[in-house]
Amino acid sequence: QISRHPNMSIASTSSSLPDRTDISKKSYFELIVQGHIDFFTVWLGKSPLPVWVRIWLVFLMAAVLLPFAFLPHPFAITNLVAAVAVILPLNGRELVTIRGVNKNMGWPHLIGWIPVIVVNIIAITTDELGDALTMTNADGNAYLQARVFTVWYSTVCTAISCAFDAVDTVWYYFYDV
């Protein structure tokens, strides 16, 4: 049995990836590296992951990575902390353990993305984190306009991700579909 509800898992027990279910002897760094390798194998390699999910991951990864160009703005810091300190460790361990993805990977996204959405909305709508990130405040400056686009893109993508992840988490923990 791969996961709590194997019928809810996108990963299959006949994975072409080598078995590494005993991860107790791996260092944190080894788990992170192996999690990335496994993610790209599932995402780009032979996997039962639906094509629409693979395409969605391209847009979501862009929404996660683009804010790093605007460090040290608070919205970029929040994205960095959510991705690296919350989602990567929690989901990386799950990815390495089950050798794929499943609906149990939704709750770490909720923990990471909800603060990102809150900070992004504060950055867009108020002056609490510096000038509000609006095109009016960007005043024709290409860098500031790119930052406004990025915070909006990040907010929309993480909100969509939260919607998917909330449904996945409920299905995983409350239903045997």
Side-chain angles (χ1 to χ4, degrees):
Q1 184 171 343
I2 288 181
S3 64
R4 183 170 168 218
H5 299 294
N7 57 333
M8 295 298 290
S9 176
I10 294 173
S12 68
T13 55
S14 60
S15 172
S16 60
L17 300 170
D19 182 28
R20 285 192 299 272
T21 54
D22 181 19
I23 60 172
S24 59
K25 296 178 181 137
K26 299 242 182 209
S27 72
Y28 180 76
F29 178 75
E30 289 173 315
L31 287 173
I32 296 299
V33 169
Q34 192 58 56
H36 276 84
I37 293 168
D38 291 348
F39 171 79
F40 284 106
T41 302
V42 169
W43 182 37
L44 300 173
K46 185 177 178 182
S47 164
L49 198 62
V51 173
W52 76 267
V53 173
R54 294 174 193 228
I55 293 168
W56 164 245
L57 287 174
V58 171
F59 288 99
L60 185 60
M61 292 302 287
V64 171
L65 296 174
L66 283 173
F68 296 167
F70 302 102
L71 287 169
H73 195 280
F75 93 90
I77 293 170
T78 308
N79 267 278
L80 178 65
V81 169
V84 174
V86 177
I87 295 169
L88 187 62
L90 294 173
N91 277 345
R93 185 172 182 89
E94 182 83 1
L95 185 66
V96 170
T97 302
I98 66 166
R99 312 300 296 145
V101 297
N102 70 10
K103 294 187 181 304
N104 189 37
M105 297 175 90
W107 67 267
H109 287 105
L110 295 173
I111 292 170
W113 292 150
I114 290 172
V116 168
I117 293 168
V118 169
V119 169
N120 286 359
I121 290 172
I122 290 170
I124 291 168
T125 59
T126 71
D127 291 334
E128 293 294 319
L129 304 174
D131 287 341
L133 297 179
T134 63
M135 284 299 180
T136 304
N137 288 344
D139 197 31
N141 181 315
Y143 174 81
L144 296 177
Q145 289 173 342
R147 191 167 68 180
V148 170
F149 170 80
T150 300
V151 73
W152 274 100
Y153 182 75
S154 172
T155 304
V156 169
C157 286
T158 53
I160 292 169
S161 179
C162 276
F164 286 138
D165 294 327
V167 170
D168 285 350
T169 300
V170 168
W171 280 15
Y172 184 81
Y173 285 102
F174 300 108
Y175 296 102
D176 252 344
V177 177

